[in-house]
Amino acid sequence: MRFHILTIFPDILDSYIKKGMIRIAQKNKLIKIKMHDLRKFSVDKHRTVDDKPYGGGPGQILRVEPVYKLLRKIQSTNYKVQNKSKLQSSKSKIVLLSARGQKWTQQLAQKFSKLDEILFICPRYEGHDERIRKLADAEISIWDYILTVGELGAAVIIDSITRLLP
């Protein structure tokens, strides 16, 4: 199984994915975790990936452009692209981590453990451009609280799926 984490901090989970069961699963080629730097797909010279909310409000939100460009690159490397956003393979999912998403459960972990590949979109702070939601196959929340980083949610999901792999 392959996991792709789309993030602005590609080294944020290094200590976790290089230890314990996750390290052993990677060493035994049961899983592969690839961190992708969203800043490399920014549209400006400052590598900006966030912006003010378009309707107003506090904080910054993740822009759609870098996410879309990175998804297209990953998909063109591995799969034919369907409808310019979703993966063609039914054994793959694009997951948007969001406090508004479906709650992560053991039943979902079992269902997702049968996939070949999961791509995690990891927003930060105030959230994401609403157009990003259209790029995802699923919107997942790991519980009834809000985190400042989506990468922690991705780590929880990867851990819960990995322990189910034979």
Side-chain angles (χ1 to χ4, degrees):
M1 173 171 274
R2 292 177 308 273
F3 297 103
H4 298 268
I5 301 176
L6 286 64
T7 176
I8 63 173
F9 296 119
D11 60 347
I12 197 166
L13 296 177
D14 279 358
S15 64
Y16 182 73
I17 65 176
K18 293 179 179 178
K19 304 261 190 254
M21 182 180 64
I22 300 297
R23 180 190 63 80
I24 293 167
Q26 290 177 88
K27 181 180 173 187
N28 292 331
K29 301 191 185 314
L30 296 173
I31 65 170
K32 181 176 183 175
I33 300 172
K34 173 92 169 118
M35 305 297 282
H36 298 275
D37 187 353
L38 278 167
R39 292 191 188 280
K40 290 182 179 179
F41 296 87
S42 175
V43 294
D44 68 358
K45 68 179 182 179
H46 301 291
R47 298 176 57 185
T48 305
V49 295
D50 54 7
D51 202 352
K52 294 177 185 172
Y54 300 113
Q60 297 283 306
I61 60 168
L62 182 61
R63 296 175 63 162
V64 69
E65 295 87 354
V67 173
Y68 179 78
K69 287 171 67 176
L70 178 49
L71 284 174
R72 294 285 291 174
K73 181 176 188 317
I74 293 168
Q75 293 166 343
S76 67
T77 303
N78 299 322
Y79 299 96
K80 294 181 180 175
V81 177
Q82 176 184 3
N83 298 330
K84 298 184 181 178
S85 63
K86 309 270 179 150
L87 293 175
Q88 187 176 24
S89 171
S90 62
K91 298 290 275 175
S92 299
K93 295 276 184 216
I94 299 172
V95 172
L96 172 62
L97 293 152
S98 166
R100 294 190 292 190
Q102 177 182 5
K103 298 293 183 276
W104 186 250
T105 63
Q106 187 65 24
Q107 290 77 22
L108 275 178
Q110 289 169 343
K111 179 180 172 185
F112 277 56
S113 73
K114 294 172 178 39
L115 298 173
D116 293 331
E117 184 166 64
I118 301 173
L119 291 83
F120 294 100
I121 302 170
C122 299
R124 303 190 64 80
Y125 310 119
E126 293 298 326
H128 54 82
D129 182 315
E130 288 298 310
R131 295 173 288 181
I132 292 174
R133 182 173 277 121
K134 300 234 183 247
L135 301 175
D137 299 306
E139 191 170 354
I140 302 289
S141 171
I142 60 167
W143 203 245
D144 288 330
Y145 46 80
I146 299 171
L147 300 170
T148 58
V149 296
E151 294 85 355
L152 292 174
V156 167
I157 293 170
I158 290 168
D159 187 276
S160 67
I161 289 172
T162 300
R163 63 179 298 280
L164 296 173
L165 299 176

